[in-house]
């Protein structure tokens, strides 16, 4: 398996080798695996904003974001679809970066004749600020691993705090650059769903439809605590050095980042998946009942998947992403106030086995939207992948998405 395929597998928290098969199996009506293999790579482009001021008031001399597009923008500039990505993802939502690379994480629903039909819509997907995949050559982002032009050294923890709203502001500038005036749809899973809701609240006149997948309308204390637990192992790694590990000769905090990604990976899966895949089976050749250092199969799998992912990620960016998520809708007095600003029609897509944003979060979001007089539809996902159903198995909601866009 290529490094890129390993990256996709571990970014989704899936067993190595599985995601490509899942994507091909979910190719959609009239699109065979062979047609997928023959499709040319989707070009990745680079957009720069000069002189950006964060929502917290800090000034950055320039920020860069990578993006990709499919389809054509119409003369009115109103047939655009924005796809926003999850915590460990980037803007490769569809297509391939290179001929033998993995398919994008929502490729099953984006393309000619698919629910998000690129014969009809101009689809844009971009890399976020402080992207976890900063070391990846296919990801373009500005964050703590980027060079501060005033010092010639990486920003590290001197990089300013950014929020989900900052992600939206950068996306808006990109869309304006591309000539987009109105969005027929903003859609994304997990952290992407937070961006969807921020978009609908911040720019209600621009958003016709909003589709938050495996998300929530509220960053409550329980979720704030979980995010802190995700981040904690990085800060306890001696190699983190308060974020100053970029100097040549210093080892990055791979151990702490690995432990953080183990938490994220297991949290993103359902208990039924763990039981079916591993049960109480010991790791091969090991006996936890006799030797304290021996481990169970799920422990060694989590270690291997997270360690592979950690080598392709940036620990400081992980911490900045955690804070950006914690600041979701922080500029409004309440979730109700934010939702009341929207003029969009909504399709809320939860996963029944979600452990990150349990089903009750989506139900509360739907109730809040209805209380605000919003038009809301629901399409519930099921299966053993828990939170990750909204990434790997979004094709389950394909017909609901098609109908939502047709209405």
């Amino acid at each position: 398996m290529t490094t890129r395929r390993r990256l996709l597998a571990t970014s989704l928290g899936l067993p190595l080798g599985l995601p490509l098969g899942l994507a091909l199996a979910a190719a959609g009506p009239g699109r065979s695996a062979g047609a997928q293999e023959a499709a040319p790579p989707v070009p990745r482009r680079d957009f720069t904003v000069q002189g950006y001021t964060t929502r917290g008031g800090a000034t950055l001399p320039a920020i860069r974001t990578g993006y990709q597009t499919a389809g054509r923008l119409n003369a009115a500039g109103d047939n655009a679809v924005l796809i926003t990505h999850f915590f460990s993802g980037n803007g490769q939502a569809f297509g391939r970066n290179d001929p033998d690379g993995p398919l994008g994480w929502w490729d099953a629903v984006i393309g000619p004749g698919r629910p998000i039909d690129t014969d009809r819509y101009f689809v844009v997907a971009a890399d976020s600020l402080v992207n976890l995949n900063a070391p990846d050559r296919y990801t373009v982002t500005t964050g703590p691993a980027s060079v501060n032009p005033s010092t010639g050294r990486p920003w590290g923890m001197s990089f300013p705090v950014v929020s989900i709203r900052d992600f939206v502001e950068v996306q808006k500038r990109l869309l304006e650059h591309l000539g987009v005036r109105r969005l027929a749809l903003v859609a994304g899973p997990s952290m992407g769903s937070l961006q969807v809701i921020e978009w609908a609240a911040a720019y209600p006149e621009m958003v016709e439809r909003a589709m938050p997948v495996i998300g929530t309308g509220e960053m409550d204390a329980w979720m704030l605590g979980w995010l802190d637990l995700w981040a904690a192992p990085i800060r306890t790694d001696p190699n983190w050095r308060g974020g100053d590990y970029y100097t040549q000769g210093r080892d990055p905090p791979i151990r702490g980042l690995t432990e953080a990604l183990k938490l994220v990976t297991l949290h993103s899966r359902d208990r039924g998946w763990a039981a079916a895949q591993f049960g109480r089976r010991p790791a091969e050749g090991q006996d936890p009942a006799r030797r304290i250092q021996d481990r169970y199969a799920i422990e060694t799998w989590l270690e291997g998947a997270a360690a592979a992912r950690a080598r392709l990620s940036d620990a400081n960016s992980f911490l900045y992403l955690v804070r950006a998520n914690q600041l979701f809708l922080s500029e409004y007095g309440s979730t109700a106030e934010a939702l009341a600003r929207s003029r969009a029609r909504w399709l809320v897509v939860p996963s029944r086995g979600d452990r990150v944003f349990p089903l009750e979060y989506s139900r509360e979001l739907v109730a809040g939207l209805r209380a605000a007089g919003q038009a809301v539809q629901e399409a519930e996902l099921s299966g053993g992948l828990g939170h990750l159903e909204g990434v790997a198995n979004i094709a389950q909601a394909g017909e609901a998405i098609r109908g939502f866009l047709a209405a």
Side-chain angles (χ1 to χ4, degrees), residues 9 12-15 18-19 22-23 214 264-274 276-277 301 351-356 381-394 396:
L12 296 180
L14 297 167
L18 180 57
L22 272 175
I214 51 172
V264 175
T265 302
L266 187 58
H267 198 188
S268 297
R269 306 303 288 260
D270 192 17
R271 63 184 293 222
W273 161 83
Q277 290 287 320
W301 181 84
S351 170
R352 191 175 302 164
D354 198 336
R355 305 284 172 172
V356 177
L381 305 175
S382 61
L385 293 180
H387 186 65
L388 290 175
E389 290 293 342
V391 179
N393 284 335
I394 188 61
Q396 285 186 57

Side-chain angles (χ1 to χ4, degrees), residues 52-138:
Y52 178 74
T53 300
T54 70
R55 303 300 290 183
T59 299
L60 289 164
I63 52 175
R64 298 170 64 223
T65 183
Y67 71 98
Q68 62 186 51
T69 67
R72 290 175 180 267
L73 186 66
N74 64 17
D78 63 0
N79 70 325
V81 171
L82 177 67
I83 305 296
T84 53
H85 67 71
F86 51 99
F87 187 93
S88 62
N90 67 4
Q92 193 203 344
F94 50 88
R96 301 181 191 277
N97 288 153
D98 53 55
D100 66 345
L103 291 167
W105 40 269
W106 263 12
D107 195 81
V109 294
I110 301 171
R114 299 187 194 180
I116 301 174
D117 188 350
T118 52
D119 288 335
R120 180 181 177 190
Y121 295 105
F122 176 64
V123 182
V124 182
D127 305 330
S128 70
L129 286 168
V130 300
N131 196 285
L132 184 64
N133 305 285
D136 173 40
R137 68 189 179 98
Y138 290 103

Side-chain angles (χ1 to χ4, degrees), residues 292-314:
I292 194 68
Q293 69 270 27
D294 284 4
R295 309 179 83 184
Y296 287 92
I298 191 168
E299 295 177 290
T300 57
W301 181 84
L302 284 168
E303 178 73 24
R309 187 68 176 81
R311 289 192 292 272
L312 298 165
S313 305
D314 177 62

Side-chain angles (χ1 to χ4, degrees), residues 10 19 31 44 74 76 79 89 115 121 126 175 199 210 214 219 264 279 328-329 332 366 399 404:
T10 51
R31 301 291 292 182
R44 295 277 291 172
N74 64 17
N79 70 325
Y121 295 105
L175 293 173
W199 258 105
I214 51 172
M219 188 56 58
V264 175
F328 169 57
L329 291 184
Y332 303 95
V366 168
E399 290 310 306
F404 182 55

Side-chain angles (χ1 to χ4, degrees), residues 41-321:
V42 176
R44 295 277 291 172
R45 298 181 173 90
D46 184 344
F47 173 66
T48 300
V49 177
Q50 301 291 343
Y52 178 74
T53 300
T54 70
R55 303 300 290 183
T59 299
L60 289 164
I63 52 175
R64 298 170 64 223
T65 183
Y67 71 98
Q68 62 186 51
T69 67
R72 290 175 180 267
L73 186 66
N74 64 17
D78 63 0
N79 70 325
V81 171
L82 177 67
I83 305 296
T84 53
H85 67 71
F86 51 99
F87 187 93
S88 62
N90 67 4
Q92 193 203 344
F94 50 88
R96 301 181 191 277
N97 288 153
D98 53 55
D100 66 345
L103 291 167
W105 40 269
W106 263 12
D107 195 81
V109 294
I110 301 171
R114 299 187 194 180
I116 301 174
D117 188 350
T118 52
D119 288 335
R120 180 181 177 190
Y121 295 105
F122 176 64
V123 182
V124 182
D127 305 330
S128 70
L129 286 168
V130 300
N131 196 285
L132 184 64
N133 305 285
D136 173 40
R137 68 189 179 98
Y138 290 103
T139 302
V140 178
T141 186
T142 298
S146 305
V147 172
N148 179 348
S150 67
T151 65
R153 301 179 64 244
W155 285 89
M157 299 305 283
S158 68
F159 193 78
V161 170
V162 293
S163 64
I164 295 293
R165 177 65 181 271
D166 281 303
F167 296 1
V168 168
E169 293 301 320
V170 175
Q171 291 159 3
K172 185 171 185 291
R173 284 158 176 76
L174 169 62
L175 293 173
E176 289 170 345
H177 167 74
L178 294 172
V180 173
R181 295 186 180 90
R182 185 167 169 82
L183 290 163
L185 173 69
V186 185
S190 193
M191 185 181 82
S193 76
L194 308 187
Q195 295 167 71
V196 169
I197 296 167
E198 287 272 12
W199 258 105
Y203 297 104
E205 72 287 350
M206 263 189 88
V207 179
E208 183 178 354
R209 299 177 187 84
M211 189 178 84
V213 178
I214 51 172
T216 180
E218 182 179 9
M219 188 56 58
D220 61 9
W222 187 82
M223 195 62 216
L224 290 173
W226 264 112
L227 286 165
D228 180 64
L229 290 177
W230 283 12
I234 293 171
R235 296 192 181 99
T236 60
D237 187 327
N239 287 339
W240 181 54
R241 300 172 182 266
D244 185 17
Y245 55 81
Y246 298 111
T247 305
Q248 188 173 2
R250 288 189 174 178
D251 293 326
I254 294 296
R255 181 70 262 158
L257 183 54
T258 297
E259 293 300 319
L261 289 165
K262 283 166 67 175
L263 281 169
V264 175
T265 302
L266 187 58
H267 198 188
S268 297
R269 306 303 288 260
D270 192 17
R271 63 184 293 222
W273 161 83
Q277 290 287 320
F278 303 103
R280 289 176 57 92
R281 187 173 74 253
E284 186 175 355
Q286 299 190 33
D287 186 354
R290 298 187 62 184
R291 291 179 293 274
I292 194 68
Q293 69 270 27
D294 284 4
R295 309 179 83 184
Y296 287 92
I298 191 168
E299 295 177 290
T300 57
W301 181 84
L302 284 168
E303 178 73 24
R309 187 68 176 81
R311 289 192 292 272
L312 298 165
S313 305
D314 177 62
N316 283 341
S317 297
F318 186 108
L319 300 179
Y320 275 83
L321 281 171

